[in-house]
Amino acid sequence: MNAPQSPDQTKVEQAKLLIDGQWVESRTSEWRDIVNPATQAVLARVPFATAEEVDAAVAAAQRAFLTWRHTPIGARMRIMLKLQALIREHSKRIAQVLSAEQGKTLADAEGDIFRGLEVVEHAASIGTLQMGEFAENVAGGVDTYTLRQPIGVCAGITPFNFPAMIPLWMFPMAIVCGNTFVLKPSEQDPLSTLLLVELAVEAGVPAGVLNVVHGGKAVVDALCTHQDIKAISFVGSTEVGTHVYNLASQHGKRVQSMMGAKNHAVVLPDANRTQTVNALVGAAFGAAGQRCMATSVAVLVGKAREWLPDIKQAASKLSVNAGSEPGTDVGPVVSKRAKERVLSLIESGIREGATLELDGRDVKVPGYEHGNFVGPTLFSGVTTDMQVYTQEIFGPVLVTLEVDTLDEAIALVNANPFGNGTGLFTQSGAAARKFQSEIDVGQVGINIPIPVPVPFFSFTGSRGSKLGDLGPYGKQVVQFYTQTKTVTARWFDDDSINDGVNTTISLR
């Protein structure tokens, strides 16, 4: 197998590349350990593919595209149906590997897989999603219709925080539209991604239609500049996402780049207090805060500022432990480097004058003394010029700000450069309607803290959180992975009247 079957295996394996339907060992001299963030145990090693290996993967995809693009839609749909069945069958096994390499709780790992599975299920509807349009008799005997055709070889670059969901956002929709794909999983936790790719191969994805390469910046740049790749899909940090968008765009590719965030939850005093507090705490500290849609800022409006003790009490009750342990609420962050960054930003909040209401810096987890743990951390008295507000912390840290009115809250959220997601907690329909109308953020939740849409809709982050005008799933991604061809046709029979020569641009 190309990824561990369980996180407790004693032999350290080497992650493989998938090129033209074959799992191959890389010939690279550069490797990285895949480390369990709760124990620091080395689970496997991942290669940083050579330039020749990247070229071979792209070449395989280019060859496969010549035939795959003509595969009937029904055949593509049936592969997606088989894939979703296989993912359901193996989800618990994949979740164990995902939890071991990424640190999530088992329940959250299964949720990661399920949200990706929803996209696979939607991909099985491609027969209606990829339909063109038809207009009869637009001029005398003339019909016009459109075809939505695949664009060619596409590539996806995925982040560490969702090693199941994000890859499943990408390659199923791309290949079901008739394209071929080169996937570069996160080098920090690719093992669960590889298990999903194995299932795709088992489901019937032909050789060369889906390929996998591993690596860092050199591999990313090679994909962004390769002459045979037509489109790049990226999810990750703002710094890397901006680089990917600029480099790939300069080389003539379609690009969708989902990047960083600073997601606000605005709390009005008329909201349901218990439900709101629970929602804030779950959205802020779940997955150790390592979600691009995590709630990292609570804006307490008017008397809702009196709820701070409730938030602190609920957060203090969360269990910090290894993701594999029953009852865990908050697992470790993904790496020692990530922990150091989170701790540094907490220190900056203290230094800049915020009040540390709940301190998660010195949390101790018996039996996992070397784990990358940070406990739930809560700040009050935060201002918009502090680093804990201006930077995406990507850890279990919630900062709170206070304003007097909903108008002030809307202005505060709109002044932030990010636009990934926001939420409003209220029982007022008028306030909700005002908020969703005036807020300048692409994804809005009303009494929902993490407003990630289901696959029938499109992920629509905006402003500093997104580059490119089409989202990674839903109807928008079908547009991204296809090109429109318009056909205008007139047919004549033997008895047609000859209208003579027409030297104008008009049809008649």
Side-chain angles (χ1 to χ4, degrees):
M1 297 294 290
N2 306 293
Q5 295 305 291
S6 62
D8 58 352
Q9 66 176 33
T10 57
K11 181 181 178 182
V12 175
E13 298 188 16
Q14 295 181 353
K16 294 182 180 180
L17 312 175
L18 178 62
I19 300 176
D20 203 13
Q22 300 296 315
W23 292 101
V24 297
E25 294 184 359
S26 176
R27 297 184 178 181
T28 187
S29 60
E30 185 178 0
W31 296 79
R32 174 175 177 151
D33 289 342
I34 303 167
V35 177
N36 183 318
T39 65
Q40 307 307 314
V42 177
L43 302 174
R45 295 201 309 156
V46 61
F48 281 36
T50 66
E52 292 76 16
E53 289 166 342
V54 174
D55 286 342
V58 177
Q62 181 73 357
R63 290 192 300 271
F65 177 66
L66 299 178
T67 53
W68 177 248
R69 64 178 301 180
H70 299 299
T71 301
I73 285 179
R76 290 185 246 145
M77 291 169 58
R78 283 189 287 275
I79 290 174
M80 292 299 114
L81 289 169
K82 181 66 180 297
L83 176 57
Q84 66 87 23
L86 288 170
I87 292 172
R88 287 184 181 277
E89 179 183 349
H90 295 279
S91 62
K92 290 190 179 298
R93 176 171 66 93
I94 299 169
Q96 288 182 331
V97 175
L98 196 160
S99 176
E101 65 176 344
Q102 203 277 340
K104 292 186 180 187
T105 66
L106 286 171
D108 196 35
E110 290 185 29
D112 184 338
I113 296 165
F114 178 76
R115 291 309 304 266
L117 176 62
E118 290 181 316
V119 177
V120 179
E121 292 172 339
H122 196 229
S125 303
I126 194 63
T128 54
L129 297 175
Q130 202 171 343
M131 291 171 61
E133 300 172 309
F134 185 95
E136 184 182 25
N137 214 36
V138 296
V142 177
D143 304 326
T144 298
Y145 51 95
T146 60
L147 311 174
R148 300 209 67 91
Q149 297 183 322
I151 58 176
V153 180
C154 304
I157 301 162
T158 65
F160 76 85
N161 58 329
F162 284 97
M165 182 181 76
I166 303 298
L168 291 176
W169 280 8
M170 293 183 183
F171 75 79
M173 292 304 300
I175 65 178
V176 82
C177 286
N179 303 289
T180 54
F181 205 79
V182 179
L183 176 66
K184 194 211 83 68
S186 170
E187 66 276 16
Q188 296 190 73
D189 49 8
L191 302 179
S192 47
T193 307
L194 291 179
L195 290 176
L196 292 168
V197 171
E198 288 184 359
L199 296 182
V201 173
E202 183 179 344
V205 174
V209 171
L210 176 59
N211 305 271
V212 178
V213 294
H214 303 287
K217 183 178 184 299
V219 172
V220 169
D221 288 357
L223 295 174
C224 291
T225 58
H226 201 289
Q227 63 180 3
D228 291 329
I229 290 179
K230 304 301 182 184
I232 297 282
S233 182
F234 171 87
V235 177
S237 71
T238 298
E239 180 182 4
V240 179
T242 302
H243 169 75
V244 166
Y245 182 84
N246 291 336
L247 184 63
S249 297
Q250 290 165 8
H251 286 79
K253 307 185 190 319
R254 295 184 182 184
V255 190
Q256 52 177 212
S257 185
M258 309 297 122
M259 307 185 297
K262 199 70 176 179
N263 304 313
H264 299 66
V266 175
V267 182
L268 298 186
D270 71 333
N272 183 295
R273 189 163 179 162
T274 300
Q275 291 178 352
T276 300
V277 168
N278 289 339
L280 289 176
V281 171
F285 305 120
Q290 298 176 119
R291 296 171 176 147
C292 66
M293 291 294 290
T295 297
S296 53
V297 182
V299 183
L300 307 179
V301 181
K303 290 187 177 182
R305 67 190 69 195
E306 298 172 3
W307 298 10
L308 185 62
D310 297 32
I311 298 172
K312 177 179 177 179
Q313 182 181 27
S316 66
K317 293 180 179 179
L318 296 178
S319 170
V320 181
N321 209 331
S324 57
E325 296 290 343
T328 299
D329 297 307
V330 180
V333 295
V334 72
S335 67
K336 288 186 176 296
R337 182 178 178 183
K339 178 179 178 178
E340 291 169 359
R341 182 178 183 277
V342 173
L343 296 181
S344 174
L345 284 165
I346 294 173
E347 292 288 348
S348 77
I350 298 170
R351 187 171 60 251
E352 293 176 356
T355 301
L356 186 60
E357 300 282 351
L358 186 63
D359 188 353
R361 289 175 294 174
D362 296 320
V363 64
K364 305 297 182 185
V365 180
Y368 296 96
E369 288 77 12
H370 300 293
N372 308 321
F373 295 101
V374 180
T377 300
L378 177 66
F379 277 107
S380 65
V382 173
T383 58
T384 57
D385 58 343
M386 295 179 179
Q387 290 186 66
V388 289
Y389 178 79
T390 60
Q391 294 194 33
E392 184 178 25
I393 300 174
F394 229 61
V397 181
L398 176 66
V399 305
T400 63
L401 291 82
E402 300 176 358
V403 297
D404 294 326
T405 67
L406 177 58
D407 284 328
E408 290 180 69
I410 292 172
L412 187 152
V413 176
N414 286 346
N416 189 280
F418 292 108
N420 214 33
T422 189
L424 175 71
F425 290 86
T426 183
Q427 296 189 69
S428 167
R433 193 173 192 281
K434 174 183 175 67
F435 185 81
Q436 71 184 32
S437 174
E438 297 182 10
I439 207 72
D440 187 16
V441 175
Q443 297 173 124
V444 180
I446 305 298
N447 297 314
I448 292 177
I450 303 179
V452 178
V454 294
F456 318 123
F457 294 86
S458 296
F459 191 92
T460 52
S462 62
R463 294 195 284 140
S465 297
K466 177 183 177 182
L467 291 171
D469 60 351
L470 295 172
Y473 58 76
K475 293 180 181 179
Q476 289 188 11
V477 84
V478 176
Q479 293 177 282
F480 181 76
Y481 285 127
T482 59
Q483 54 194 346
T484 301
K485 180 180 291 182
T486 303
V487 180
T488 303
R490 170 184 280 166
W491 293 95
F492 300 97
D493 58 36
D494 292 340
D495 297 326
S496 295
I497 299 174
N498 187 347
D499 292 332
V501 175
N502 180 13
T503 60
T504 72
I505 196 172
S506 65
L507 294 171
R508 63 188 186 194

